[in-house]
Amino acid sequence: MAVKTLDRPPAAPEPEALPRPHRSRWVWAWVFTGAFFMAGLLLVLIGYLGAGVLGGEVDWPALLTESAWNPGDSVFGGLAMIYGSAVVCLIALALAVPVGWAAAIALSEYLPPRLARPLRMSVELLAAVPSIVYGLIGILVVRPVIASMADVPGGDSLLAAGVVLAVMITPTIVAVSVDALSAVPDRYREAAFSLGLTRREVVRSAVLPLARSGMRAGVLLGLARALGESIAVFMVVGRADGRLPESLKGVFNSLVHPGQTLTTKLAGPEPVLAGTSGPYFASICGLGLVLLGLVAVTTVWGTRERAGSETARKRRGHRQAARLRGELDRAVGTMRVIALLLPGVLLIGMLGILVARGSDAFNPVFWFSAAQGAAGGGVSGQITGTLLLVVTTGLISLPLGFGAGVLLGVHGSTRTARVLQTLTVVVGGTPTILLGLAGFVIICSAMGWGRSWLAGAFVLVPVVVPVVALTTAGRVRSMPAEMTESALSLGLTRAQYIRSVVVPYTWPATITGLLLGLARAAGETAPLIFTATVFFGAPALPSGIVASPVQSLPTHIFTLSQDSGDPQAVAQAWGSAMVLVLITAVLLGAAVALRNRFEGERWTT
């Protein structure tokens, strides 16, 4: 019998070693560009203010310790303005932080998703209301209430400014805190529940320790907005120089009387009247440096380590857990849900006022016809100019803010990360009037652009970038440690880890930050007055960059609101405000839909 020899098929060639992923050098260029932008912008602002200070003689002891301000007699004391800024911010934070954190915890931990999502949408819509609209609401509602309660004429006061700021910054704190809480993996909650803890104890011991960094970033964002807000405060604070209390009783009395803050002084006509040199202008620039210094100090204080207080809080929590656990859990949960209802009530009230006062916005002719005269016609040109400024600002700000936030969150050195965060919040807290004045001097005058829509977008970029950076950094810090360890154990470089893990994880929070930043930028008035907009006469779409101004809704509303004696101007202002709110609501809806698409289910790995 013949034996058949089986031929073995030729062995397959040994596969070549799989190539390693690209080194992603562009990642470091990207993230460092964002950080260098923040540092460079702060250097430009300090350089501008420093040059102004060096252009005249500043009596620093008098500026910091005297309350009288009288340019006619060359008396420049800023202590009353420093006091006003501190009081207004403390009032705003005292009202906004407890409500904002409680509402965020209720949204993330207590309500089912079918209820939490629309309520979160309402909070974000409240965040999208421009600051100029808050100023109008403050004039119509807050001032009369304070006037009647405190029996003071007009109602212009530090308390009115603090209440308006509290309403403004609460949605920011809620939105950023919800993102931080949502980033905590569910397995931490499940493990805590399996130990027999109540929901309140789960939130306190398992969720808040991981989300605290992001929630603190929300407070810093709110503080930055409170310190840097000018127009809304300008409309309700009264702008009275030299009001400084002399006793404890005087402190409480000063709250219900007109005052002055650093931002309202800088947002008034005096920076223009002071010229470009001399002691008057030097003192104005000195106030700007003082404001930047206050933002830096509060940022360092807000981000310092709190080991001792954390230990005390844990001990106090153990004592409370031993008694009345169920009753305390229900009481705390009820309070948090009630806190969540407050932003919804504010939104309904504001929308009711806008609908009643801004009925012109529901007429299509008002949207699509051009303005006529001082207070006639529609706002088509203003709508086009506003959209152009917002879209251009967003396109420039997104990569810069995202890169800065990623670097801020992943940097290994705590000290360096704290320095970067301080720089970021200082830029975010810079009063926009300073951005407008610096843009006017550098871009419009020195570069010869004149009033330009692109110059307006450039001065709005510093408003948006810090918001994007801080929300992104907060999300990065809330990442579970095992995700980072798993990525690095696979041999990924730091750049590949950022590209493949950090960027997808932080993208939803970045969208939220961009939304919050653009909502603030859409309502900015002070910087655009100096760099980009005119009240009338500009075409709907600019034909170039140099000497190409536009019209915008915020500056249009602000100009009309100054003429309170003309009913037609007031009606036009409220109608324009309603249009601006509707536009930001549409942008908000698109941003939320995009964020939900990227976010998907909560990370549980």
Side-chain angles (χ1 to χ4, degrees):
M1 184 179 74
V3 178
K4 185 177 180 180
T5 304
L6 297 177
D7 296 330
R8 296 183 60 184
E14 292 291 332
E16 297 182 359
L18 294 176
R20 290 180 59 84
H22 296 295
R23 297 182 64 83
S24 304
R25 294 186 179 92
W26 60 270
V27 171
W28 291 119
W30 169 40
V31 296
F32 277 107
T33 298
F36 288 151
F37 170 80
M38 304 299 297
L41 178 62
L42 189 59
L43 288 177
V44 169
L45 288 172
I46 294 176
Y48 165 73
L49 295 173
V53 169
L54 295 177
E57 184 178 354
V58 179
D59 187 354
W60 285 103
L63 188 68
L64 298 176
T65 60
E66 298 292 334
S67 61
W69 180 275
N70 188 358
D73 296 333
S74 297
V75 177
F76 304 104
L79 184 59
M81 304 168 207
I82 298 173
Y83 167 78
S85 295
V87 167
V88 167
C89 289
L90 286 176
I91 293 173
L93 291 177
L95 296 176
V97 172
V99 173
W101 278 358
I105 293 173
L107 275 174
S108 177
E109 308 299 325
Y110 284 84
L111 297 181
R114 65 179 182 276
L115 293 178
R117 181 161 293 182
L119 286 174
R120 183 180 180 184
M121 178 74 174
S122 67
V123 172
E124 291 172 334
L125 181 59
L126 193 62
V129 176
S131 59
I132 186 67
V133 178
Y134 281 108
L136 290 176
I137 299 294
I139 291 174
L140 183 67
V141 178
V142 179
R143 289 199 316 182
V145 171
I146 293 178
S148 61
M149 291 177 57
D151 194 21
V152 293
D156 287 323
S157 60
L158 296 174
L159 180 59
V163 171
V164 170
L165 280 183
V167 177
M168 290 178 63
I169 69 176
T170 296
T172 301
I173 296 174
V174 173
V176 177
S177 299
V178 168
D179 275 329
L181 292 165
S182 300
V184 177
D186 281 337
R187 67 179 183 277
Y188 291 98
R189 299 173 177 85
E190 295 166 358
F193 277 121
S194 68
L195 295 175
L197 300 182
T198 64
R199 183 175 296 276
R200 176 186 61 87
E201 293 165 343
V202 168
V203 171
R204 184 191 62 194
S205 60
V207 178
L208 289 182
L210 295 176
R212 187 174 291 114
S213 176
M215 296 174 71
R216 192 178 298 163
V219 175
L220 289 176
L221 284 173
L223 178 60
R225 182 168 188 181
L227 283 170
E229 178 56 41
S230 54
I231 294 299
V233 178
F234 186 91
M235 298 170 73
V236 298
V237 78
R239 306 188 302 280
D241 289 323
R243 299 288 185 90
L244 193 66
E246 299 179 355
S247 63
L248 182 60
K249 182 179 179 181
V251 171
F252 292 100
N253 188 47
S254 68
L255 299 181
V256 294
H257 287 84
Q260 186 81 276
T261 67
L262 291 169
T263 54
T264 55
K265 173 60 71 175
L266 296 170
E270 293 191 48
V272 178
L273 299 176
T276 57
S277 62
Y280 191 4
F281 182 72
S283 298
I284 291 289
C285 292
L287 291 179
L289 289 176
V290 169
L291 181 56
L292 292 181
L294 287 176
V295 177
V297 169
T298 54
T299 303
V300 172
W301 176 82
T303 55
R304 76 187 194 284
E305 295 297 329
R306 295 177 172 83
S309 61
E310 293 297 330
T311 303
R313 186 181 296 111
K314 291 177 181 178
R315 291 174 180 172
R316 183 168 60 250
H318 287 307
R319 290 196 299 268
Q320 293 174 348
R323 63 180 186 272
L324 303 177
R325 295 174 62 202
E327 291 79 358
L328 185 59
D329 193 69
R330 286 190 291 272
V332 171
T334 302
M335 292 175 61
R336 286 168 174 167
V337 173
I338 292 175
L340 176 60
L341 296 178
L342 183 58
V345 172
L346 292 174
L347 177 62
I348 293 173
M350 293 181 66
L351 290 179
I353 294 173
L354 287 171
V355 169
R357 296 271 179 165
S359 57
D360 290 345
F362 299 101
N363 185 355
V365 177
F366 187 73
W367 287 67
F368 298 105
S369 61
Q372 298 177 3
V379 290
S380 62
Q382 288 81 359
I383 293 173
T384 304
T386 301
L387 292 177
L388 177 64
L389 291 170
V390 169
V391 171
T392 306
T393 301
L395 292 176
I396 299 173
S397 303
L398 179 59
L400 292 175
F402 197 28
V406 169
L407 181 62
L408 186 62
V410 304
H411 202 284
S413 172
T414 303
R415 180 175 299 178
T416 303
R418 186 175 299 174
V419 171
L420 291 176
Q421 179 163 300
T422 301
L423 293 177
T424 303
V425 179
V426 168
V427 172
T430 302
T432 53
I433 185 64
L434 288 181
L435 299 175
L437 291 172
F440 173 76
V441 172
I442 298 173
I443 302 176
C444 301
S445 299
M447 296 175 59
W449 281 23
R451 292 181 184 267
S452 168
W453 62 272
L454 189 56
F458 284 160
V459 299
L460 289 179
V461 167
V463 177
V464 181
V465 169
V467 184
V468 178
L470 288 176
T471 51
T472 302
R475 177 85 168 192
V476 173
R477 294 194 188 101
S478 67
M479 288 180 60
E482 56 266 28
M483 290 183 62
T484 301
E485 295 168 358
S486 300
L488 297 180
S489 67
L490 294 175
L492 298 182
T493 64
R494 295 290 292 181
Q496 293 164 349
Y497 157 71
I498 291 173
R499 184 190 65 183
S500 303
V501 179
V502 174
V503 170
Y505 186 85
T506 59
W507 190 244
T510 302
I511 295 296
T512 301
L514 181 65
L515 159 69
L516 295 172
L518 290 180
R520 180 183 174 187
E524 284 297 337
T525 305
L528 299 181
I529 292 176
F530 291 95
T531 58
T533 62
V534 292
F535 183 60
F536 62 87
L541 286 174
S543 57
I545 295 177
V546 177
S548 298
V550 293
Q551 303 173 78
S552 72
L553 287 169
T555 54
H556 188 68
I557 297 167
F558 179 72
T559 305
L560 291 173
S561 65
Q562 304 306 300
D563 191 7
S564 58
D566 184 1
Q568 185 178 2
V570 173
Q572 182 89 344
W574 281 104
S576 302
M578 187 66 194
V579 170
L580 184 56
V581 170
L582 291 175
I583 290 175
T584 52
V586 171
L587 295 176
L588 169 66
V592 168
L594 184 62
R595 183 194 64 201
N596 291 339
R597 178 180 177 184
F598 281 115
E599 189 171 36
E601 297 182 358
R602 177 179 284 167
W603 287 68
T604 57
T605 56

